[in-house]
Amino acid sequence: MSSGISKKVLIVGLDGATWDVLDPLIAEGRMPRLKQLRADGASGIMHSTVPPITPAAWTTFLTGRQPGSHGIIDFERYDPPTHQLCFNSTRCLDHVRSLWRILGDHGLRVGSINVPMTYPAVPVNGFMISGFETPSHEGDFVYPRELKADVLARWPDPTLKARWKRRPLARKRAFRENIDYIRRSFHQGVEMTRVLGERFGWDAMMVVLKLVDNLQHKTWRNIDARWRDEDPSSRDLVRDTFVELDVAVGELIDYAKSHEAAVFIVSDHGHGSLEGKIQPNLLLNQWGYLKIREGAAQSVARGRNIWDRMRGRTKKFARQDDITHDLAVDFGATQACVMHAGMAGFLYINLKGRQPCGIVPLFEFERLRDELRGRFLGEECRVRDPQGREIQLFEDVHKPEDLYRCSRQEQPWLPDLMLIPHRSLAVVRKIRGRKAVRWVSEDRIEGTHRPEGVFAAWGNGVVPGRRVDLGLVDCAPTILTMLGLPIPKEMEGRVATEIFEDAPTVAYETAEKRVEAPQVTGHGVYSSQDLEQVTARLSDLGYLE
């Protein structure tokens, strides 16, 4: 092992942060610690994964591998042979080595606090507190297991599981309560870092301030210059919350300095306005590729959805993978369907011999895939938005093996096409009404993800004031190099040598350490009650519908 640039590294995740929001606040003098960090270190845009969604992005950060290698492209996963949906978890990642495992193998102590896609917590050489996808505190969200009681005694809500409160008759009070919860979460992250860091010791530790993302999802109208001045009091509460974020970041920087550690700040994606939702299954139905069951079956599905909404429940998974719950599809007469969606649409051809109800012969697969891709990118998917501007509904439609340069044999659950929406739009799999896009009224605008996140690094040997853009896939190899460790050959990112005053020696492991892809698909990790809680939480943020 070569001598590293840094003895230790503290990684601070600002989930969903974007310079589009932070830079104006920095310019106004509201975020002095981030301003100083940018002046004293390197910083720039962090390019997210495709799609820029939390589970794919943070997993890429932790593995140095693209989604086509680690296999996580969404919160959900569709398994064609069983025709079922399940929820991704750490059980789906046994075939890849995370940054924590690599560091531990070299004898370094690690800590992980609230990093998404770390539930159930896995054994590490140190400690782990899982992220917001933790369903409840009954599960295995802590490692080592005996730490759970101490964590819950000091922090009753250690994984930030609360949802955004709504009180129609006390809207302002509810807004203030939500904002206060977010502010307290920032300072809780700092406290957990200090307390657990001192208890266990660390060489590399990471804390994610997750609710930066929630804040922007829910208060984008109070952030966006087009609407923020319509409600000055809410606008100022949100701005003050970013001030609190800067205070928390400053305290983490001070803690890192007290341990002679470098600081690595990163967001998994950026943020922007969500102005509409595309219904690709409606388009498939109108084009004749997808058939909806008529009569009683459709009425039953619609009735289930209405009944669930009346009870405040989102039951996508609660009936144990019943994929027809949201959409009464006649798969015996359907050639293609978007099985799950969010920041993108994940389309599967109903292939004979792959799905139990498949009807498309293998020799028709590529022709049909190309045909569908052409239609989603064609004139039929050009519309005018409420402002009269003509837009293309889908910015791109990818074949995953081309996008990720991977083998479909190694990742058989990858979709056949990935539908990437226009920047201001999201994708839903349900069908409501008869229009391809359901536009969001201006008084209900929220936030959604953008590919451009944030990056900043400070520490020994980092060039002050250097502006550098890099990708999430580059972070793990760069951090390993900072610590003087060799990079696994299976990592797909590069070392961002340009952030350093003197280019470090980049070493690689002599042999690729591969583990066979897991046979599990995520079943058995979440009970029906667990799925109810997690699905409601994710639906509240617009990740599931």
Side-chain angles (χ1 to χ4, degrees), residues 139-369:
D140 293 329
F141 72 94
V142 176
Y143 182 87
R145 305 291 181 254
E146 57 269 22
L147 180 61
K148 180 190 283 191
D150 291 347
V151 167
L152 289 173
R154 184 155 189 164
W155 304 288
D157 187 15
T159 58
L160 309 174
K161 65 182 186 300
R163 294 167 59 191
W164 188 266
K165 296 177 182 177
R166 292 175 175 84
R167 292 197 179 100
L169 300 180
R171 187 180 63 84
K172 286 288 187 181
R173 187 178 73 181
F175 190 87
R176 286 192 298 270
E177 290 175 356
N178 288 319
I179 291 296
D180 184 57
Y181 177 77
I182 290 172
R183 290 178 181 176
R184 285 185 282 114
S185 79
F186 298 158
H187 297 293
Q188 177 174 293
V190 175
E191 186 181 21
M192 293 177 80
T193 301
R194 288 172 172 163
V195 172
L196 296 175
E198 295 309 295
R199 175 169 174 171
F200 286 90
W202 56 281
D203 297 294
M205 182 162 52
M206 180 173 183
V207 57
V208 172
L209 304 183
K210 174 64 183 73
L211 299 193
V212 182
D213 181 68
N214 300 46
L215 176 67
Q216 294 173 123
H217 273 293
K218 292 303 179 184
T219 71
W220 193 259
R221 273 185 56 82
N222 310 116
I223 295 171
D224 196 304
R226 292 173 289 178
W227 304 292
R228 65 190 179 199
D229 294 335
E230 295 176 7
D231 186 348
S233 62
S234 296
R235 175 202 63 201
D236 291 345
L237 279 173
V238 172
R239 286 184 177 181
D240 290 344
T241 305
F242 281 101
V243 172
E244 289 295 318
L245 174 65
D246 189 68
V247 171
V249 169
E251 291 174 349
L252 290 168
I253 293 171
D254 292 341
Y255 179 69
K257 288 180 177 179
S258 72
H259 283 264
E260 299 181 355
V263 176
F264 200 96
I265 291 180
V266 59
S267 68
D268 55 332
H269 53 76
H271 237 88
S273 60
L274 174 60
E275 301 177 25
K277 298 181 179 181
I278 313 172
Q279 304 187 93
N281 280 333
L282 173 64
L283 292 170
L284 289 170
N285 176 247
Q286 292 174 344
W287 296 341
Y289 300 103
L290 181 150
K291 181 175 174 58
I292 298 293
R293 288 184 289 167
E294 301 296 334
Q298 190 174 5
S299 298
V300 168
R302 187 180 298 113
R304 283 177 176 175
N305 288 324
I306 294 171
W307 175 239
D308 288 341
R309 288 198 300 274
M310 288 174 63
R311 295 184 296 167
R313 306 178 77 180
T314 52
K315 299 275 286 187
K316 183 182 288 287
F317 295 102
R319 289 188 177 86
Q320 292 301 310
D321 315 309
D322 180 5
I323 207 165
T324 64
H325 171 251
D326 291 333
L327 200 62
V329 176
D330 179 0
F331 282 100
T334 290
Q335 294 176 283
C337 180
V338 171
M339 296 297 189
H340 56 107
M343 301 299 121
F346 302 98
L347 180 147
Y348 291 80
I349 289 172
N350 195 18
L351 188 61
K352 186 180 294 185
R354 182 176 67 175
Q355 285 103 311
C357 49
I359 65 169
V360 177
L362 181 60
F363 68 85
E364 286 287 319
F365 176 79
E366 283 298 343
R367 181 202 62 78
L368 179 58
R369 192 159 64 146

Side-chain angles (χ1 to χ4, degrees), residues 365-375 399 417:
F365 176 79
E366 283 298 343
R367 181 202 62 78
L368 179 58
R369 192 159 64 146
D370 289 338
E371 181 178 300
L372 289 170
R373 183 174 185 273
R375 296 193 76 163
K399 297 179 180 180
L417 291 174

Side-chain angles (χ1 to χ4, degrees), residues 7 22 121 212 216 239 283 337 359 441 457 472 486 492 501 505:
K7 294 179 179 179
L22 301 181
V212 182
Q216 294 173 123
R239 286 184 177 181
L283 292 170
C337 180
I359 65 169
S441 60
L472 278 171
E492 299 168 11
E501 292 175 337
T505 299

Side-chain angles (χ1 to χ4, degrees), residues 357-408:
C357 49
I359 65 169
V360 177
L362 181 60
F363 68 85
E364 286 287 319
F365 176 79
E366 283 298 343
R367 181 202 62 78
L368 179 58
R369 192 159 64 146
D370 289 338
E371 181 178 300
L372 289 170
R373 183 174 185 273
R375 296 193 76 163
F376 281 117
L377 291 174
E379 289 297 319
E380 295 168 289
C381 287
R382 291 192 68 82
V383 302
R384 291 196 179 275
D385 67 12
Q387 288 73 46
R389 298 167 298 192
E390 189 175 59
I391 65 169
Q392 189 74 35
L393 290 181
F394 298 98
E395 291 185 351
D396 213 334
V397 177
H398 295 289
K399 297 179 180 180
E401 66 270 33
D402 294 340
L403 172 66
Y404 299 134
R405 300 178 184 177
C406 66
S407 165
R408 294 180 65 82

